[in-house]
């Protein structure tokens, strides 16, 4: 469950992302939410509900959203569905969710997102087991634009990929 501080931090990060030059300008926001199947169902359900309720409380921007939900099953299996944000608040949405333990690396996910979700203005990854195998491959996948619009929710920590990429990859980088 997000604390008030974490909700405020999420709102601030989203606000910064939506005001990056060249990002969100239209009336309908397109965003992607990635759910990592290596995590427990309850963790995914609670975290997703916190994210959705926090974004909806932010204002008019999140009233009419094209939400892509990516189910990250393993390195080569991703499923995508377009759904309403309010459906993720219901228990019935998570009935088919299964926890699948395997060795996943973030660079595979980022390459998938770069190919199929690059036009999303906001990408939120919910993964308590997010890890990078090849730093070079990861950096190639997130640059030039994924790093500026991606938020990683890892446990109780919110990571703005653009500002905190070194905490994900172990690298020092110069950010705006």
């Amino acid at each position: 469950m997000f604390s008030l501080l974490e909700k405020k931090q999420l709102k601030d990060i989203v606000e910064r992302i939506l005001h990056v030059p060249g990002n969100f300008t239209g009336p309908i926001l397109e965003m992607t939410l990635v759910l990592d199947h290596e995590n427990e169902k309850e963790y995914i359900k609670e975290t997703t509900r916190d994210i959705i309720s926090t974004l909806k409380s932010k204002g008019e921007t999140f009233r009419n959203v094209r939400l892509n939900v990516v189910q990250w099953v393993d390195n080569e299996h991703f499923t995508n569905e377009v759904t309403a944000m309010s459906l993720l608040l219901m228990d019935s949405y998570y009935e088919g969710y299964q926890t699948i333990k395997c060795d996943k690396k973030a660079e595979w996910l980022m390459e998938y997102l770069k190919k199929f979700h690059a036009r999303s203005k906001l990408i939120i990854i919910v993964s308590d087991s997010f890890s990078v195998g090849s730093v070079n491959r990861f950096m190639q996948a997130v640059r030039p634009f994924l790093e500026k619009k991606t938020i990683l929710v890892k446990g109780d920590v919110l990571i703005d990929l653009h500002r905190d990429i070194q905490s994900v990859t172990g690298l020092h980088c110069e950010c705006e």
Side-chain angles (χ1 to χ4, degrees):
M1 192 96 169
F2 282 5
S3 67
L4 288 174
L5 183 62
E6 290 165 333
K7 289 180 181 184
K8 171 79 168 106
Q9 184 183 11
L10 178 62
K11 286 180 182 180
D12 290 345
I13 294 170
V14 167
E15 192 66 26
R16 186 205 55 80
I17 289 172
L18 294 181
H19 289 90
V20 167
N23 209 347
F24 179 64
T25 57
I28 297 177
L29 172 67
E30 182 169 345
M31 68 177 278
T32 299
L33 179 67
V34 179
L35 304 178
D36 183 357
H37 278 257
E38 195 165 335
N39 299 289
E40 296 297 323
K41 181 179 183 177
E42 286 305 312
Y43 168 75
I44 292 292
K45 193 180 350 180
E46 281 183 30
T47 305
T48 303
R49 284 181 177 168
D50 280 349
I51 291 168
I52 298 301
S53 61
T54 301
L55 293 178
K56 283 198 164 279
S57 73
K58 189 173 174 339
E60 292 294 316
T61 306
F62 291 93
R63 180 167 287 186
N64 190 13
V65 174
R66 183 176 196 275
L67 178 63
N68 299 295
V69 178
V70 175
Q71 306 287 340
W72 184 19
V73 179
D74 63 38
N75 283 336
E76 297 176 0
H77 295 94
F78 304 93
T79 57
N80 182 56
E81 63 179 331
V82 178
T83 189
M85 287 179 92
S86 55
L87 286 178
L88 276 84
L89 298 173
M90 295 188 222
D91 282 338
S92 60
Y93 181 82
Y94 304 94
E95 286 177 358
Y97 183 90
Q98 294 179 333
T99 302
I100 301 169
K101 298 290 182 190
C102 64
D103 185 32
K104 291 191 265 188
K105 298 299 176 198
E107 54 271 20
W108 289 85
L109 171 65
M110 300 315 274
E111 287 170 355
Y112 173 82
L113 292 173
K114 189 173 186 174
K115 284 181 191 171
F116 299 108
H117 294 279
R119 69 183 239 182
S120 289
K121 304 302 182 191
L122 175 64
I123 299 171
I124 300 176
I125 302 169
V126 180
S127 175
D128 201 18
S129 55
F130 193 89
S131 65
V132 176
S134 168
V135 174
N136 290 336
R137 192 169 165 192
F138 180 81
M139 296 306 281
Q140 284 179 336
V142 299
R143 292 204 169 128
F145 38 79
L146 286 184
E147 68 178 340
K148 293 181 182 173
K149 55 183 157 184
T150 303
I151 301 170
L152 172 61
V153 181
K154 186 174 183 177
D156 292 335
V157 179
L158 295 169
I159 300 171
D160 179 352
L161 210 60
H162 183 59
R163 297 192 188 269
D164 301 321
I165 201 163
Q166 64 272 7
S167 65
V168 174
T169 62
L171 293 177
H172 174 72
C173 68
E174 304 223 357
C175 300
E176 295 177 331

